[in-house]
Amino acid sequence: MQLVVTIYEKTPDAAIEVIRGIDADHDAIEVRADAFGEHAIDWSAIRAATAKPVIATNRGGGHVDIDAALGAGIDFVDVEWPGDVADDRVVLSHHDYDGMPDIDDLLRRMRARHVKIAATPHNFAGNARLLAALGNKNTTIIGMGARGLYSRILAPFFGSELQFVSVDETRSAAPGQLTLAQALAIYGPNREALRADKIFAIVGNPAAHSGSPTIHNAIFRERGVAAAYSIFETADFLDIAAPFARGERFAPDGLSVTAPFKEDALMFAESVGAEIRANAREAGAVNTLVRIAGRIVADNTDVDGFKALIKMTTARTA
């Protein structure tokens, strides 16, 4: 997988300044020409701003002047499908900002060296469909929006070629886009060796703001664990809990449960005959669900956290 930093600035000069200011690890640059409005684009100047590969993109209707961009040394041009272009330097893209197209049909019909499909799943099934489409070389799959973060974060672990990230939180160019700092924490420096034999996720509503993937994925790498940790934002706890319990493909092997689902998680644990640990039973809430050796275990690690904190104070009341 390669990390592509999306540059979405109002003028080409501003874009060049931002490109030159990126000092964190990354693999390529995407320049969004649709942000420039009526400003003329000197692709040679943009090419000179970085030694990294550059993708020229126009997402606002119409296309970048392919010949001009490639003639100036730009490495790739992103072309919105339909519009097959017989050039190895074209990234052929399809975006669905509302829902889920027929992914398999698109992959059959989109003929290009590099293919990218970005869609907007609204539930676990949609996220799983996106991840199931991976496997072909030079294919990029992106889940958009808060509901698509689950597959967006996981896709590189299952073979997605490119992960598009923003420079920082103030420069996002797409719904659900990770920042470069977040992506580096999640994927690390050895991105060609990403693999996930186990999946874990935090589930809540809202949950897109969670920093958990940046924490847990770094720990997995540090300990040599082939696992991935993602985010699942939903209004329906059972949408992720049911596939988890059944062990479906691309369902998590463990869930961190946050608001407003901790009581729901206890009821779910009871309904599936889970082993409910004492902390969860006494608290009347579950914040951890995991499948271990064929059984589901429900616990509440918040209790241990509060106990540890209380030991650090001499306060008599709270």
Side-chain angles (χ1 to χ4, degrees):
M1 183 271 289
Q2 297 186 58
L3 282 182
V4 183
V5 182
T6 298
I7 306 300
Y8 192 72
E9 299 295 321
K10 293 182 178 179
T11 68
D13 288 343
I16 289 171
E17 183 178 351
V18 172
I19 292 170
R20 289 174 174 167
I22 301 173
D23 54 9
D25 180 23
H26 63 289
D27 301 299
I29 295 289
E30 178 193 38
V31 177
R32 286 284 297 272
D34 49 297
F36 298 152
E38 299 301 319
H39 293 278
I41 306 172
D42 183 348
W43 288 112
S44 296
I46 290 175
R47 171 65 279 175
T50 177
K52 301 286 186 180
V54 176
I55 302 172
T57 300
N58 187 333
R59 196 65 65 224
H63 300 299
V64 170
D65 185 330
I66 295 175
D67 292 335
L70 296 179
I74 298 300
D75 301 88
F76 301 95
V77 174
D78 188 302
V79 174
E80 192 71 13
W81 184 85
D84 295 357
V85 180
D87 193 306
D88 286 349
R89 293 173 295 176
V90 163
V91 178
L92 190 60
S93 296
H94 176 76
H95 290 72
D96 189 328
Y97 294 97
D98 298 314
M100 290 288 299
D102 186 330
I103 305 295
D104 293 334
D105 181 61
L106 280 172
L107 288 174
R108 283 192 297 268
R109 297 167 64 191
M110 295 172 70
R111 299 175 182 176
R113 173 80 178 274
H114 302 272
V115 172
K116 179 179 73 176
I117 297 176
T120 310
H122 298 289
N123 51 30
F124 171 76
N127 280 278
R129 280 174 56 200
L130 284 173
L131 293 172
L134 290 166
N136 295 326
K137 188 178 179 181
N138 300 328
T139 299
T140 296
I141 295 292
I142 299 172
M144 294 191 291
R147 299 293 197 268
L149 264 176
Y150 186 74
S151 54
R152 189 182 196 114
I153 291 173
L154 292 177
F157 290 94
F158 293 95
S160 188
E161 180 187 22
L162 306 174
Q163 180 69 299
F164 292 82
V165 301
S166 63
V167 176
D168 55 44
E169 291 181 353
T170 67
R171 289 184 162 91
S172 176
Q177 190 172 45
L178 300 171
T179 67
L180 176 57
Q182 289 171 327
L184 288 172
I186 292 169
Y187 305 115
N190 190 19
R191 294 183 285 276
E192 294 303 315
L194 290 173
R195 192 177 96 250
D197 297 332
K198 298 287 186 181
I199 297 172
F200 302 91
I202 185 168
V203 55
N205 189 28
H209 63 283
S210 175
S212 293
T214 64
I215 297 169
H216 292 289
N217 284 296
I219 294 172
F220 290 154
R221 284 198 312 278
E222 180 184 312
R223 301 190 178 183
V225 177
Y229 191 104
S230 192
I231 291 172
F232 195 85
E233 181 171 302
T234 180
D236 179 6
F237 180 68
L238 286 179
D239 183 43
I240 189 68
F244 154 76
R246 292 190 293 263
E248 291 184 14
R249 189 184 183 199
F250 301 119
D253 297 274
L255 284 169
S256 303
V257 185
T258 190
F261 296 129
K262 295 184 181 184
E263 290 83 2
D264 292 335
L266 176 59
M267 290 188 291
F268 168 77
E270 291 172 334
S271 73
V272 296
E275 176 188 328
I276 302 174
R277 300 281 171 86
N279 282 349
R281 184 69 73 185
E282 292 175 19
V286 165
N287 82 335
T288 302
L289 287 165
V290 64
R291 292 199 310 273
I292 301 176
R295 72 186 193 281
I296 294 175
V297 176
D299 205 346
N300 193 318
T301 61
D302 289 335
V303 175
D304 297 321
F306 278 114
K307 284 181 177 177
L309 290 172
I310 289 170
K311 287 180 181 179
M312 297 168 61
T313 179
T314 57
R316 304 298 300 171
T317 61

